[in-house]
Amino acid sequence: MGFKFLNDISISDIAFEADSGTLEGLFKSAADALVNSMIRNYKDIKQVKTVEFTLRESNLESLFVAFLEKLIFYKDVEGLVFNGFKLVIKETDGEWVVSCKAKGEKLNAKKHELIVDVKAVTMHLLEVEKKGNGWHAQAVLDI
Amino acid sequence: MEFKKPTFTRVSDTIWEIPKTFKDGMRVPARIYATEKLFKEMDLQVFDQISNVATLPGIQKYAFALGDAHSGYGSPIGGVAAFDINKEGVISPGIVGFDINCSMRLIVTNLTLKNVRPHIKTLVDRLFKEIPAGVGSKSKTKFSEAEFKKLADGGAEWAVKAGYGWKEDLGRTELGGIADWADSSKISKTAISRGLSQMGTLGSGNHYLEIQYIKPDELHDGGLAKKWGLFSNQIVIMWHCGSRGAGHQIASDYIQTFLKESNRKYGIKIPDKELASAPFNSKEGQEYYKAMGCGVNISFANKQIILQKIREVFSEVFNKSPESLGMHQLFDIAHNRASLEKHEVDGEMKELLVHRKGSTGSYPPGRTEIPKLYRKDGSPVIIGGSMETGSYLLVGSEGASQTFDSTAHGSGRVMSRKKAREKFNGKALVQKMLANGIYVRSATWAGLAEESGEAYKSIEDVVDSVEQLNLSRRVCRFTPIGNIK
């Protein structure tokens, strides 16, 4: 459970896989992978700011990408990075919806050990699927 | 993850072919243009990805991977694919690349190594302060949404009018510094929001700005170098960046649109979702083309703002105007773009959309894509090396017609970012580079370790490769003395 970076896919970018017993846990692990790609000590991000958003997509893969891209948006536009996520994911009438409450703080180069900027989530070798009793995802992040 | 190894046909010493039978749906063979050494260094995913590109409708001749090719997403970095726009040819954001119009820009000075070496620390420190780099970097130059739309429609032309740079810069930039087909009504509010405070920033990863000089024995074509204003021990400034978050958002938005609508609507089968495509002459294809034009312009404007900062810093440190320091732009050339060009295919002149992802236009003398200033000589080609080694200025050669006038773009990675971080130490690397005469400032130690020279192919091998293939030839080599990233 959690996430793991993959070394042998897209060597100029960052690939990861994530697993969880629940879909919400999977999205949370993927978000952790995204933030950890940029900040080595991401667990030290203080949860002092909260943002809430809801996203709707026609399929689960698109929802997964849209969720991670929303976090990139907050990093670029508001300078916010997160490590606390409260998520509810539902499928109703052929539409996938994620409601998210994300907690974090402003990027701070003095405090956060910065690595490299993530600018997009690619569709390359993207997997978001049920596996056994849980959920599995694989994604390549554009650097 | 394992990828199947194709059975190659060796066409010549420097050309390898993957037959159409390698994968279902390949419309043309794929070809690798590289020396044997570089070919053997390529990861198997390169061959898988370039074969996927060969399945797209309207592709002409071959799907190409050049000497610096390494695995990317959708298409390999170092890939070229041209599509006949009058015969079902497609446009695909995944083979333009996310960082639309990511490019190399080069400016010269009349300063020499002797003039600059004593000031290198001050120059690099000042540039590092004025030109933000790294994760989440924000510019001091902020734009309103209305201004940003003008920037996205007007590119470097808009930037020069707004006071960023000189009019002559436009004649020394591809397309004259403006994608005149751009339409900012085709880009999302999200893309605009991401761009508002990022203009004038470098970004991160392999983006950098370097102060370099020309060693006396590295003026390979002395005549052309002199004509282009280059001389021994001269100081030049080179940087690598693109359209920042806005360009990436444009790519993301249209990949999703193409996946949800175009692929089904136009019956395009793709082996990798990243290759989402639409016919160039469809509504969706044209909308992305106009949005991509905005990405091109955002990149041009970003580099114009950076150019202005560089001129200001040098002027301040040397207490002379940028004009009296001879700070002329030499060229700005992209390696992530799709360009409408005319090329001969099997004896017929065709209108093609040439996608270059991590590959550079290398136009032989006379091509109309070359600005008038350089048209008789061939296009200047700027090849960025790793921060520890050096970079090259090349010129387009006649043989580039083999690859739709395309050449390599840089060293190309051979090691993953994570492996590089495990193997190298950023702080130790800075000391090593200092000992080698290169002063570095970076927003991140870990990010710096990822960019170690050993994580890349040899720039000499890459340039040897494109020379052997007659895609481009050497004009001169640049050695770094200062770097910000």
Side-chain angles (χ1 to χ4, degrees), chain A residues 5 7-14 38 40 57-58 61-62 65 69 72-73 75-79 107 114-117 119-127 138 140 142-143, chain B residues 1 45 49 70-74 77 98 135-136 138 190 193-194 198 204-205 207 245 248 252 255-256 259-260 272-274 413-419 421 444 446-447 450:
Chain A
F5 291 113
N7 271 331
D8 58 350
I9 297 178
S10 302
I11 59 172
S12 59
D13 295 283
I14 293 177
M38 299 188 279
R40 198 198 289 261
E57 289 289 342
S58 56
E61 280 189 354
S62 293
V65 171
E69 293 218 319
I72 295 171
F73 174 83
K75 178 263 300 172
D76 273 3
V77 178
E78 309 279 343
L107 260 175
L114 304 177
I115 307 172
V116 72
D117 209 7
K119 294 176 288 195
V121 182
T122 79
M123 297 300 292
H124 181 57
L125 302 174
L126 181 72
E127 292 170 5
Q138 174 181 285
V140 177
D142 178 71
I143 299 305
Chain B
M1 179 161 279
Q45 204 181 349
Q49 291 182 345
H70 57 97
S71 58
Y73 34 82
I77 318 293
F98 273 81
V135 182
K138 288 195 185 299
T190 306
S193 301
R194 287 181 68 181
Q198 288 191 335
S204 79
H207 289 178
H248 287 76
S252 294
I255 286 173
Q256 290 301 325
L259 279 175
K260 287 171 192 162
D272 179 344
K273 290 193 179 77
E274 194 62 29
R413 284 193 83 91
V414 285
M415 190 183 292
S416 76
R417 294 186 172 276
K418 187 164 180 283
K419 270 186 198 161
R421 246 187 289 143
T444 153
E450 290 184 359

Coordinates of all heavy atoms in Angstrom, one line a residue, chain A residues 5 7-14 38 40 57-58 61-62 65 69 72-73 75-79 107 114-117 119-127 138 140 142-143, chain B residues 1 45 49 70-74 77 98 135-136 138 190 193-194 198 204-205 207 245 248 252 255-256 259-260 272-274 413-419 421 444 446-447 450:
Chain A
F5 N 8.2 4.8 -6.7 CA 8.7 5.4 -7.9 C 9.3 4.2 -8.8 O 9.9 3.3 -8.3 CB 9.7 6.4 -7.7 CG 9.2 7.7 -7.1 CD1 9.5 8.1 -5.8 CD2 8.2 8.5 -7.8 CE1 8.9 9.2 -5.2 CE2 7.7 9.6 -7.2 CZ 8.0 9.9 -5.9
N7 N 11.8 3.3 -11.9 CA 13.0 3.8 -12.5 C 13.1 3.5 -14.0 O 13.8 4.2 -14.8 CB 14.3 3.2 -11.9 CG 14.7 4.0 -10.7 OD1 14.5 5.2 -10.7 ND2 15.3 3.4 -9.8
D8 N 12.4 2.5 -14.5 CA 12.6 2.1 -15.9 C 11.6 2.5 -16.9 O 11.5 2.1 -18.0 CB 12.8 0.6 -15.9 CG 11.5 -0.2 -15.4 OD1 10.7 0.5 -14.8 OD2 11.4 -1.4 -15.6
I9 N 10.8 3.5 -16.5 CA 9.8 4.1 -17.4 C 10.1 5.6 -17.6 O 10.2 6.3 -16.6 CB 8.4 3.9 -16.9 CG1 8.0 2.4 -16.8 CG2 7.4 4.6 -17.8 CD1 6.6 2.1 -16.2
S10 N 10.2 6.0 -18.8 CA 10.3 7.5 -19.1 C 11.4 8.1 -18.3 O 11.1 8.9 -17.3 CB 9.0 8.2 -18.9 OG 8.0 7.7 -19.7
I11 N 12.7 7.8 -18.6 CA 13.8 8.2 -17.7 C 14.0 9.7 -17.5 O 14.6 10.1 -16.5 CB 15.1 7.5 -18.1 CG1 15.5 7.9 -19.6 CG2 15.0 6.0 -18.0 CD1 16.9 7.5 -20.0
S12 N 13.4 10.5 -18.4 CA 13.6 11.9 -18.2 C 12.5 12.5 -17.3 O 12.5 13.6 -16.9 CB 13.7 12.6 -19.5 OG 12.5 12.4 -20.2
D13 N 11.5 11.7 -17.0 CA 10.4 12.1 -16.2 C 10.3 11.3 -15.0 O 11.2 10.7 -14.6 CB 9.1 12.1 -17.1 CG 9.2 13.2 -18.2 OD1 9.1 14.3 -18.0 OD2 9.6 12.8 -19.4
I14 N 9.1 11.3 -14.4 CA 9.0 10.5 -13.1 C 7.7 9.6 -13.3 O 6.6 10.1 -13.5 CB 8.8 11.4 -11.9 CG1 10.2 12.1 -11.6 CG2 8.5 10.5 -10.7 CD1 10.1 13.1 -10.5
M38 N 8.3 16.4 -5.9 CA 8.7 17.8 -5.8 C 9.4 18.2 -4.5 O 10.3 19.0 -4.5 CB 7.5 18.7 -6.0 CG 6.8 18.5 -7.4 SD 5.6 19.8 -7.7 CE 4.2 19.2 -6.8
R40 N 11.3 16.5 -1.0 CA 11.8 15.3 -0.4 C 11.1 15.1 1.0 O 10.7 14.0 1.3 CB 13.3 15.5 -0.2 CG 14.0 14.1 0.0 CD 15.4 14.3 0.6 NE 16.3 14.9 -0.4 CZ 17.2 14.1 -1.0 NH1 17.3 12.8 -0.9 NH2 18.1 14.7 -1.8
E57 N -15.8 13.8 -13.9 CA -15.3 13.4 -15.2 C -16.1 12.2 -15.7 O -16.8 11.5 -14.9 CB -13.8 13.0 -15.1 CG -12.9 14.1 -14.9 CD -12.7 15.0 -16.2 OE1 -13.1 14.5 -17.3 OE2 -12.3 16.1 -16.1
S58 N -16.0 11.9 -17.0 CA -16.8 10.8 -17.5 C -16.2 9.4 -17.3 O -16.9 8.4 -17.4 CB -17.0 11.0 -19.1 OG -15.7 11.1 -19.6
E61 N -10.2 7.2 -15.1 CA -8.8 7.6 -15.5 C -8.8 9.1 -15.6 O -7.8 9.8 -15.1 CB -8.4 7.0 -16.8 CG -7.9 5.6 -16.7 CD -7.3 5.1 -18.0 OE1 -7.4 5.8 -19.0 OE2 -6.8 3.9 -18.0
S62 N -9.7 9.7 -16.3 CA -9.8 11.2 -16.4 C -9.9 11.8 -15.1 O -9.3 12.9 -14.8 CB -10.9 11.6 -17.3 OG -10.7 11.1 -18.6
V65 N -6.5 11.8 -13.3 CA -5.6 12.8 -13.9 C -6.0 14.2 -13.5 O -5.2 15.1 -13.1 CB -5.6 12.7 -15.5 CG1 -4.8 13.9 -16.1 CG2 -4.9 11.4 -15.9
E69 N -3.9 17.0 -11.5 CA -3.6 18.2 -12.1 C -4.1 19.4 -11.3 O -3.6 20.5 -11.4 CB -4.2 18.2 -13.5 CG -3.5 17.2 -14.4 CD -3.3 17.7 -15.8 OE1 -4.2 18.2 -16.4 OE2 -2.2 17.4 -16.4
I72 N -1.5 20.3 -9.0 CA -0.4 21.1 -9.8 C -0.9 22.5 -9.9 O -0.1 23.5 -9.8 CB -0.1 20.4 -11.1 CG1 0.5 19.0 -10.9 CG2 0.8 21.3 -12.0 CD1 0.6 18.2 -12.2
F73 N -2.2 22.7 -10.2 CA -2.7 24.0 -10.4 C -2.5 24.8 -9.1 O -2.1 26.0 -9.1 CB -4.2 23.9 -10.7 CG -4.9 25.2 -10.8 CD1 -4.9 26.0 -11.9 CD2 -5.7 25.7 -9.7 CE1 -5.6 27.2 -12.0 CE2 -6.3 26.9 -9.7 CZ -6.3 27.7 -10.9
K75 N -0.4 24.4 -6.8 CA 1.1 24.7 -6.6 C 1.5 25.9 -7.5 O 2.2 26.8 -7.0 CB 1.9 23.4 -7.0 CG 3.4 23.5 -6.8 CD 4.0 23.7 -8.2 CE 3.8 22.6 -9.2 NZ 4.2 22.9 -10.5
D76 N 1.1 25.9 -8.8 CA 1.5 26.9 -9.7 C 0.9 28.3 -9.4 O 1.5 29.3 -9.5 CB 1.2 26.5 -11.1 CG 2.3 25.7 -11.8 OD1 3.3 25.4 -11.1 OD2 2.1 25.4 -13.0
V77 N -0.4 28.3 -9.1 CA -1.2 29.5 -9.0 C -1.2 30.1 -7.6 O -1.0 31.3 -7.4 CB -2.6 29.3 -9.5 CG1 -3.5 30.5 -9.4 CG2 -2.6 28.8 -11.0
E78 N -1.4 29.2 -6.6 CA -1.5 29.7 -5.2 C -0.2 29.4 -4.4 O 0.0 29.9 -3.3 CB -2.6 29.0 -4.5 CG -4.0 29.0 -5.2 CD -4.7 30.3 -5.0 OE1 -4.4 31.0 -4.0 OE2 -5.6 30.5 -5.8
G79 N 0.7 28.6 -5.0 CA 2.0 28.3 -4.3 C 1.7 27.3 -3.2 O 2.5 27.2 -2.2
L107 N 4.5 26.8 -0.4 CA 5.9 26.3 -0.7 C 6.9 27.2 0.0 O 6.8 28.4 -0.1 CB 6.1 26.3 -2.2 CG 6.0 25.1 -3.0 CD1 6.2 25.4 -4.5 CD2 7.0 24.1 -2.6
L114 N 13.3 21.0 -1.9 CA 12.8 20.9 -3.2 C 13.6 20.0 -4.1 O 14.8 20.0 -4.0 CB 12.7 22.3 -3.8 CG 11.9 23.3 -3.0 CD1 11.9 24.7 -3.6 CD2 10.4 22.9 -2.8
I115 N 12.9 19.3 -5.0 CA 13.6 18.4 -5.9 C 13.4 18.9 -7.3 O 14.3 19.6 -7.9 CB 13.1 17.0 -5.8 CG1 13.2 16.5 -4.3 CG2 14.0 16.1 -6.7 CD1 12.5 15.1 -4.1
V116 N 12.3 18.7 -7.9 CA 12.0 19.1 -9.3 C 10.5 19.4 -9.5 O 9.7 18.8 -8.7 CB 12.5 18.0 -10.2 CG1 11.6 16.7 -10.2 CG2 12.7 18.4 -11.7
D117 N 10.2 20.3 -10.4 CA 8.8 20.7 -10.6 C 8.1 19.7 -11.4 O 8.6 19.3 -12.4 CB 8.8 22.1 -11.3 CG 7.7 22.9 -10.9 OD1 6.9 22.5 -10.0 OD2 7.5 24.0 -11.5
K119 N 4.9 19.3 -13.9 CA 4.1 20.3 -14.6 C 2.9 19.7 -15.3 O 2.0 20.4 -15.6 CB 5.0 20.9 -15.7 CG 6.2 21.8 -15.0 CD 7.1 22.3 -16.0 CE 8.1 21.2 -16.6 NZ 9.3 21.8 -17.2
A120 N 2.8 18.4 -15.4 CA 1.6 17.8 -15.9 C 1.6 16.3 -15.6 O 2.6 15.7 -15.2 CB 1.6 17.9 -17.5
V121 N 0.4 15.7 -15.7 CA 0.2 14.3 -15.6 C -0.1 13.7 -17.0 O -1.0 14.2 -17.7 CB -1.0 14.0 -14.7 CG1 -1.1 12.5 -14.5 CG2 -0.8 14.7 -13.3
T122 N 0.8 12.8 -17.4 CA 0.6 12.3 -18.8 C -0.4 11.1 -18.8 O -0.7 10.5 -17.8 CB 2.0 11.9 -19.4 OG1 2.3 10.6 -18.9 CG2 3.1 12.9 -19.1
M123 N -0.8 10.8 -20.0 CA -1.7 9.6 -20.2 C -0.8 8.4 -20.5 O -1.4 7.3 -20.7 CB -2.7 9.9 -21.3 CG -3.6 11.0 -21.0 SD -4.7 10.8 -19.6 CE -5.7 9.4 -20.1
H124 N 0.5 8.5 -20.6 CA 1.4 7.5 -21.1 C 1.4 6.3 -20.1 O 1.7 6.5 -18.9 CB 2.8 8.0 -21.3 CG 3.8 7.0 -21.7 ND1 3.6 6.3 -22.9 CD2 4.9 6.6 -21.2 CE1 4.6 5.5 -23.0 NE2 5.5 5.7 -22.0
L125 N 1.0 5.1 -20.5 CA 1.0 3.9 -19.7 C 0.2 4.1 -18.4 O 0.5 3.5 -17.4 CB 2.5 3.5 -19.3 CG 3.4 3.2 -20.5 CD1 4.8 2.9 -20.0 CD2 2.9 2.0 -21.3
L126 N -0.8 5.0 -18.5 CA -1.6 5.3 -17.3 C -2.5 4.1 -17.0 O -3.1 3.5 -17.9 CB -2.5 6.5 -17.6 CG -3.4 6.9 -16.4 CD1 -2.6 7.5 -15.3 CD2 -4.5 7.9 -17.0
E127 N -2.5 3.7 -15.7 CA -3.4 2.6 -15.3 C -4.1 3.1 -14.0 O -3.5 3.6 -13.1 CB -2.6 1.4 -15.0 CG -1.9 0.7 -16.1 CD -0.9 -0.4 -15.7 OE1 -0.8 -0.7 -14.5 OE2 -0.3 -0.9 -16.6
Q138 N -0.9 3.5 -12.1 CA 0.5 3.8 -12.5 C 0.4 5.1 -13.4 O -0.6 5.2 -14.2 CB 1.0 2.6 -13.4 CG 2.3 2.9 -14.1 CD 2.8 1.7 -14.9 OE1 3.2 0.7 -14.4 NE2 2.6 1.9 -16.2
V140 N 2.8 8.5 -15.3 CA 4.1 9.2 -15.6 C 3.8 10.7 -15.5 O 2.9 11.2 -16.1 CB 4.6 8.9 -17.0 CG1 5.8 9.7 -17.3 CG2 4.8 7.4 -17.2
D142 N 5.0 14.6 -16.0 CA 5.9 15.4 -16.8 C 6.7 16.4 -16.0 O 6.2 17.1 -15.2 CB 5.1 16.1 -17.9 CG 6.0 17.0 -18.7 OD1 6.7 16.4 -19.6 OD2 6.0 18.2 -18.6
I143 N 8.1 16.4 -16.2 CA 9.0 17.2 -15.4 C 9.4 18.4 -16.3 O 9.8 18.2 -17.4 CB 10.2 16.4 -15.0 CG1 9.7 15.2 -14.1 CG2 11.2 17.2 -14.3 CD1 8.9 15.6 -12.9
Chain B
M1 N 9.1 -2.7 -16.1 CA 8.3 -3.0 -17.2 C 9.2 -3.5 -18.4 O 10.2 -2.9 -18.6 CB 7.5 -1.7 -17.6 CG 6.7 -1.9 -18.9 SD 5.4 -0.6 -19.0 CE 4.1 -1.3 -17.9
Q45 N 12.3 1.1 -24.7 CA 11.1 1.9 -24.8 C 11.1 2.9 -26.0 O 10.0 3.2 -26.5 CB 10.8 2.6 -23.5 CG 9.4 2.9 -23.2 CD 9.1 3.6 -21.9 OE1 10.0 3.7 -21.1 NE2 7.9 4.1 -21.7
Q49 N 8.0 3.2 -28.5 CA 7.3 4.5 -28.6 C 7.3 5.0 -30.1 O 6.3 5.4 -30.6 CB 7.9 5.5 -27.7 CG 7.6 5.2 -26.2 CD 8.1 6.3 -25.3 OE1 8.9 7.1 -25.6 NE2 7.7 6.2 -24.0
H70 N 15.6 9.3 -26.2 CA 15.4 8.5 -25.0 C 13.9 8.4 -24.7 O 13.2 9.2 -25.3 CB 16.2 9.1 -23.8 CG 15.9 10.5 -23.5 ND1 15.0 10.8 -22.5 CD2 16.4 11.6 -24.0 CE1 15.0 12.2 -22.5 NE2 15.8 12.7 -23.4
S71 N 13.5 7.5 -23.9 CA 12.1 7.3 -23.7 C 11.4 8.5 -23.1 O 12.0 9.2 -22.2 CB 11.8 6.1 -22.8 OG 12.5 6.2 -21.6
G72 N 10.3 8.8 -23.6 CA 9.5 9.9 -23.1 C 8.1 9.4 -22.8 O 7.9 8.4 -22.1
Y73 N 7.1 10.0 -23.3 CA 5.7 9.5 -23.2 C 5.0 9.8 -24.5 O 5.2 10.8 -25.1 CB 5.0 10.2 -22.0 CG 5.3 11.6 -21.8 CD1 4.8 12.6 -22.6 CD2 6.3 12.0 -20.9 CE1 5.2 13.9 -22.5 CE2 6.7 13.3 -20.8 CZ 6.1 14.3 -21.6 OH 6.5 15.6 -21.4
G74 N 4.3 8.8 -25.0 CA 3.7 8.9 -26.3 C 4.8 8.7 -27.4 O 5.1 7.6 -27.8
I77 N 11.5 11.3 -26.7 CA 12.2 12.6 -26.8 C 13.3 12.3 -27.9 O 14.0 11.3 -27.8 CB 12.9 13.0 -25.5 CG1 12.1 12.7 -24.3 CG2 13.4 14.4 -25.6 CD1 10.8 13.5 -24.1
F98 N 4.7 18.5 -23.9 CA 3.9 19.3 -23.0 C 4.5 20.7 -23.0 O 3.7 21.7 -22.9 CB 4.0 18.7 -21.6 CG 2.9 17.7 -21.4 CD1 3.0 16.4 -21.8 CD2 1.7 18.0 -20.7 CE1 2.0 15.5 -21.6 CE2 0.7 17.1 -20.5 CZ 0.9 15.8 -20.9
V135 N 11.2 24.6 -8.3 CA 9.8 24.2 -8.0 C 8.9 25.5 -7.6 O 9.3 26.2 -6.7 CB 9.7 23.2 -6.9 CG1 8.3 22.8 -6.6 CG2 10.6 22.0 -7.2
G136 N 7.8 25.7 -8.3 CA 6.9 26.7 -7.9 C 7.4 28.1 -8.1 O 6.9 29.1 -7.4
K138 N 8.1 31.8 -9.0 CA 7.2 32.9 -9.5 C 8.0 34.1 -9.9 O 9.1 34.4 -9.3 CB 6.2 33.3 -8.4 CG 5.2 32.2 -8.2 CD 4.0 32.7 -7.4 CE 3.0 31.7 -7.0 NZ 2.4 31.0 -8.2
T190 N -7.7 28.0 -16.9 CA -6.7 27.3 -16.1 C -5.3 27.6 -16.6 O -4.4 27.9 -15.9 CB -7.0 25.8 -16.0 OG1 -8.3 25.6 -15.6 CG2 -6.1 25.1 -15.0
S193 N -4.4 31.1 -15.9 CA -4.0 31.3 -14.5 C -2.6 30.8 -14.2 O -1.9 31.5 -13.4 CB -5.0 30.6 -13.6 OG -6.3 31.1 -13.9
R194 N -2.3 29.7 -14.8 CA -0.9 29.1 -14.5 C 0.2 30.0 -15.1 O 1.3 29.9 -14.6 CB -0.8 27.7 -15.0 CG -1.6 26.7 -14.2 CD -1.5 25.3 -14.7 NE -0.2 24.7 -14.5 CZ 0.2 23.5 -14.9 NH1 -0.7 22.7 -15.5 NH2 1.4 23.1 -14.7
Q198 N 4.3 33.4 -14.1 CA 5.5 32.5 -14.4 C 6.3 33.1 -15.6 O 7.3 32.5 -16.0 CB 5.0 31.1 -14.8 CG 4.5 30.3 -13.5 CD 4.4 28.8 -13.9 OE1 4.2 28.5 -15.0 NE2 4.5 28.0 -12.8
S204 N 12.2 24.2 -14.0 CA 13.2 23.3 -13.3 C 13.5 22.1 -14.2 O 13.4 22.3 -15.5 CB 12.6 22.8 -12.0 OG 11.7 21.8 -12.2
G205 N 14.0 21.0 -13.6 CA 14.4 19.9 -14.5 C 15.6 20.2 -15.2 O 16.6 20.6 -14.6
H207 N 16.0 22.6 -17.4 CA 16.1 24.0 -17.8 C 17.2 24.7 -17.1 O 17.5 24.4 -15.9 CB 14.7 24.7 -17.6 CG 13.6 24.2 -18.4 ND1 12.4 24.6 -18.4 CD2 13.7 23.3 -19.5 CE1 11.6 24.0 -19.3 NE2 12.4 23.2 -20.0
G245 N 3.9 26.6 -17.1 CA 2.7 25.9 -16.8 C 1.6 26.1 -17.8 O 0.8 25.1 -18.0
H248 N 2.0 23.6 -20.6 CA 1.6 22.3 -20.2 C 0.1 22.1 -20.0 O -0.4 21.0 -20.4 CB 2.3 22.0 -18.8 CG 3.8 21.7 -19.0 ND1 4.6 22.8 -19.1 CD2 4.5 20.6 -19.0 CE1 5.9 22.3 -19.3 NE2 5.8 21.0 -19.2
S252 N -2.3 19.3 -21.8 CA -3.2 18.5 -20.9 C -4.7 18.6 -21.4 O -5.4 17.6 -21.6 CB -3.1 18.8 -19.5 OG -1.9 18.5 -19.0
I255 N -5.2 17.0 -24.9 CA -5.1 15.5 -24.9 C -6.5 14.9 -24.3 O -7.0 14.0 -24.9 CB -3.9 15.1 -24.0 CG1 -2.6 15.3 -24.8 CG2 -4.0 13.6 -23.7 CD1 -1.4 15.1 -24.0
Q256 N -7.0 15.5 -23.3 CA -8.3 15.1 -22.7 C -9.4 15.2 -23.7 O -10.2 14.3 -23.9 CB -8.6 15.8 -21.4 CG -7.7 15.4 -20.3 CD -7.7 13.9 -19.9 OE1 -8.7 13.3 -20.0 NE2 -6.6 13.4 -19.5
L259 N -9.0 12.7 -26.5 CA -9.3 11.3 -26.0 C -10.8 11.1 -25.9 O -11.4 10.1 -26.2 CB -8.7 11.1 -24.6 CG -7.2 10.7 -24.6 CD1 -6.7 10.6 -23.2 CD2 -7.0 9.4 -25.3
K260 N -11.5 12.2 -25.3 CA -13.0 12.0 -25.1 C -13.8 12.2 -26.4 O -14.8 11.6 -26.5 CB -13.4 13.1 -24.1 CG -13.0 12.8 -22.7 CD -13.2 13.9 -21.8 CE -12.5 13.8 -20.4 NZ -12.4 15.0 -19.7
D272 N -1.4 4.1 -27.6 CA -1.0 4.8 -26.3 C -1.8 6.0 -26.2 O -1.9 6.8 -27.1 CB 0.5 5.1 -26.3 CG 1.0 5.8 -25.1 OD1 0.2 6.3 -24.3 OD2 2.3 5.9 -24.9
K273 N -2.5 6.2 -25.0 CA -3.4 7.3 -24.9 C -2.7 8.7 -25.1 O -3.3 9.7 -25.4 CB -4.1 7.3 -23.5 CG -5.1 6.2 -23.4 CD -5.9 6.4 -22.1 CE -7.0 5.3 -22.0 NZ -6.4 4.0 -21.5
E274 N -1.4 8.7 -24.8 CA -0.7 9.9 -24.9 C -0.6 10.4 -26.4 O -0.3 11.5 -26.6 CB 0.7 9.7 -24.3 CG 1.5 11.0 -24.1 CD 0.9 11.9 -23.1 OE1 0.2 11.4 -22.2 OE2 1.1 13.1 -23.2
R413 N 19.0 11.9 -21.9 CA 19.3 11.2 -20.7 C 19.7 9.8 -20.9 O 19.1 9.1 -21.8 CB 18.1 11.3 -19.7 CG 17.9 12.6 -19.1 CD 16.9 12.5 -17.9 NE 17.6 12.0 -16.7 CZ 18.1 12.8 -15.8 NH1 18.0 14.2 -15.9 NH2 18.7 12.4 -14.7
V414 N 20.5 9.2 -20.0 CA 20.8 7.8 -20.0 C 20.4 7.2 -18.6 O 20.5 6.0 -18.5 CB 22.2 7.4 -20.4 CG1 22.4 7.6 -21.9 CG2 23.2 8.2 -19.6
M415 N 20.2 8.1 -17.7 CA 19.9 7.6 -16.3 C 18.6 8.2 -15.8 O 18.4 9.4 -16.0 CB 21.1 8.0 -15.4 CG 21.1 7.4 -14.1 SD 22.5 8.0 -13.1 CE 23.9 7.3 -14.0
S416 N 17.8 7.5 -15.1 CA 16.6 8.1 -14.5 C 16.9 9.1 -13.5 O 18.0 9.1 -12.9 CB 15.7 7.0 -13.9 OG 16.2 6.6 -12.7
R417 N 16.0 10.0 -13.2 CA 16.2 11.0 -12.2 C 16.5 10.4 -10.8 O 17.4 10.9 -10.1 CB 15.0 11.9 -12.2 CG 14.8 12.7 -13.4 CD 13.7 13.7 -13.4 NE 13.8 14.5 -14.6 CZ 14.6 15.5 -14.8 NH1 15.3 15.9 -13.8 NH2 14.6 16.1 -16.0
K418 N 15.7 9.4 -10.5 CA 15.9 8.8 -9.1 C 17.2 8.2 -9.0 O 17.9 8.4 -8.0 CB 14.8 7.8 -8.9 CG 14.7 7.3 -7.5 CD 13.4 6.6 -7.2 CE 13.4 6.1 -5.8 NZ 14.1 4.8 -5.6
K419 N 17.7 7.5 -10.0 CA 19.0 6.8 -10.0 C 20.1 7.9 -9.8 O 21.0 7.7 -9.1 CB 19.2 6.0 -11.2 CG 18.8 4.6 -11.1 CD 19.2 3.7 -12.4 CE 18.4 2.5 -12.5 NZ 18.4 1.9 -13.8
R421 N 19.8 10.8 -8.5 CA 19.8 11.4 -7.2 C 20.5 10.4 -6.1 O 21.1 10.9 -5.2 CB 18.4 11.6 -6.7 CG 18.0 13.1 -6.6 CD 16.7 13.3 -6.0 NE 15.6 12.9 -6.9 CZ 14.5 12.3 -6.6 NH1 14.3 12.0 -5.3 NH2 13.6 12.1 -7.5
T444 N 17.8 23.9 -5.9 CA 17.7 22.6 -5.2 C 18.9 21.7 -5.4 O 19.5 21.6 -6.5 CB 16.5 21.8 -5.8 OG1 16.7 20.4 -5.6 CG2 16.3 22.1 -7.3
A446 N 19.0 18.4 -4.7 CA 18.5 17.2 -5.3 C 18.3 17.3 -6.8 O 18.7 16.4 -7.5 CB 17.3 16.7 -4.6
G447 N 17.7 18.4 -7.1 CA 17.4 18.6 -8.6 C 18.7 18.8 -9.3 O 18.8 18.3 -10.5
E450 N 20.2 15.4 -10.1 CA 19.5 14.7 -11.2 C 20.1 15.1 -12.5 O 20.0 14.4 -13.5 CB 18.1 15.1 -11.2 CG 17.3 14.5 -10.0 CD 15.8 14.8 -10.1 OE1 15.4 15.5 -11.1 OE2 15.0 14.3 -9.3

